[in-house]
Amino acid sequence: MNAVCDIPGAGLAVDRSLVPDAAFDPAPAPGVHEARAVLAGGCFWCVEAVFRELDGVLEVTSGYSGDDAASASYERVCSGTTNHAEAVSIRFDPRRISYGRLLKVFFAVAHDPTQVDRQGNDRGRQYRSVVFHADDTQREVAAAYIRQLDAAKVFNAPIATQLVPLEAFHDAERYHQNYAAQHPEQAYIAAVAAPKVAKLRKQFGDWLRADSPKDGGLA
């Protein structure tokens, strides 16, 4: 992780308040109370910190997706010799927060989706932007939203996010979980994760958990 990879504006061409909701965002089937989204957008510490704030998100786990279990270790993934991306698994209640809303936060706050195989000064395929879709509906929602954002010229460049079927998600080592909240003084967290969380709180205050701080440090 590079402590100077802040991403001013996340490549946005419009204010975050003008980023549209997903036009195609179907309601969950009756009786479905839990779902999972797996998203990769650079450093998983930072992406995890953003999604932990949202009402309806039940659990966020940092990990690796894109390759096999044998290569799913921080040392191997950081070496750039695997096909894994640093990713987060988001367990959520789709009655309280939709998949489309999670994608809106992913694109508008969590990372810059126009960068290829990098986020700021973090470079390598492990930092690529990916939606690992669990089923056809997730794929269709993500594809439609990317087309919608590109057509609206929300970003300064075309969205480079890949849509990849989810084959497996491998939990990262225990010390990576909830890393930002446990290490708010760490230089990388202060420079990258904290500003993203602050942007979320400012622009998406109505979507936050009741116990989420509206300002101040990381939860």
Side-chain angles (χ1 to χ4, degrees):
M1 308 297 183
N2 191 308
V4 294
C5 84
D6 194 13
I7 307 166
L12 287 167
V14 302
D15 186 89
R16 282 182 179 80
S17 63
L18 300 178
V19 175
D21 292 340
F24 177 62
D25 191 16
V32 175
H33 301 160
E34 187 175 309
R36 181 169 73 150
V38 176
L39 306 172
C43 164
F44 49 22
W45 297 341
C46 305
V47 178
E48 178 189 7
V50 169
F51 284 104
R52 279 184 176 273
E53 299 267 317
L54 296 172
D55 183 50
V57 168
L58 308 175
E59 183 180 32
V60 187
T61 304
S62 287
Y64 316 104
S65 196
D67 211 330
D68 58 21
S71 60
S73 71
Y74 192 59
E75 182 178 3
R76 289 285 303 279
V77 174
C78 282
S79 74
T81 60
T82 79
N83 195 44
H84 280 302
E86 288 195 13
V88 296
S89 173
I90 305 161
R91 191 165 59 86
F92 67 101
D93 183 342
R95 300 168 302 171
R96 294 162 58 192
I97 187 166
S98 69
Y99 187 67
R101 283 196 166 194
L102 293 176
L103 291 180
K104 181 173 179 175
V105 170
F106 179 62
F107 287 112
V109 180
H111 80 311
D112 180 350
T114 69
Q115 297 196 31
V116 178
D117 291 349
R118 61 177 290 192
Q119 284 293 296
N121 287 343
D122 284 340
R123 299 171 184 266
R125 279 185 52 73
Q126 66 268 35
Y127 299 117
R128 67 193 185 274
S129 175
V130 189
V131 172
F132 290 100
H133 49 85
D135 53 37
D136 288 343
T137 299
Q138 287 192 353
R139 176 182 55 78
E140 291 166 6
V141 171
Y145 195 41
I146 289 171
R147 291 194 298 269
Q148 179 185 348
L149 295 177
D150 274 337
K153 300 188 183 304
V154 169
F155 292 93
N156 292 313
I159 291 173
T161 304
Q162 301 171 6
L163 303 183
V164 177
L166 176 65
E167 295 186 0
F169 178 85
H170 309 280
D171 290 5
E173 295 82 350
R174 187 179 182 86
Y175 70 90
H176 287 300
Q177 308 304 331
N178 202 18
Y179 188 92
Q182 296 185 44
H183 303 278
E185 75 293 338
Q186 204 253 29
Y188 185 91
I189 297 303
V192 185
K196 291 182 181 184
V197 171
K199 292 167 186 173
L200 177 78
R201 292 173 181 172
K202 180 179 180 181
Q203 296 290 346
F204 295 89
D206 292 344
W207 293 9
L208 301 182
R209 298 190 330 260
D211 61 346
S212 177
K214 301 304 182 283
D215 51 27
L218 293 163

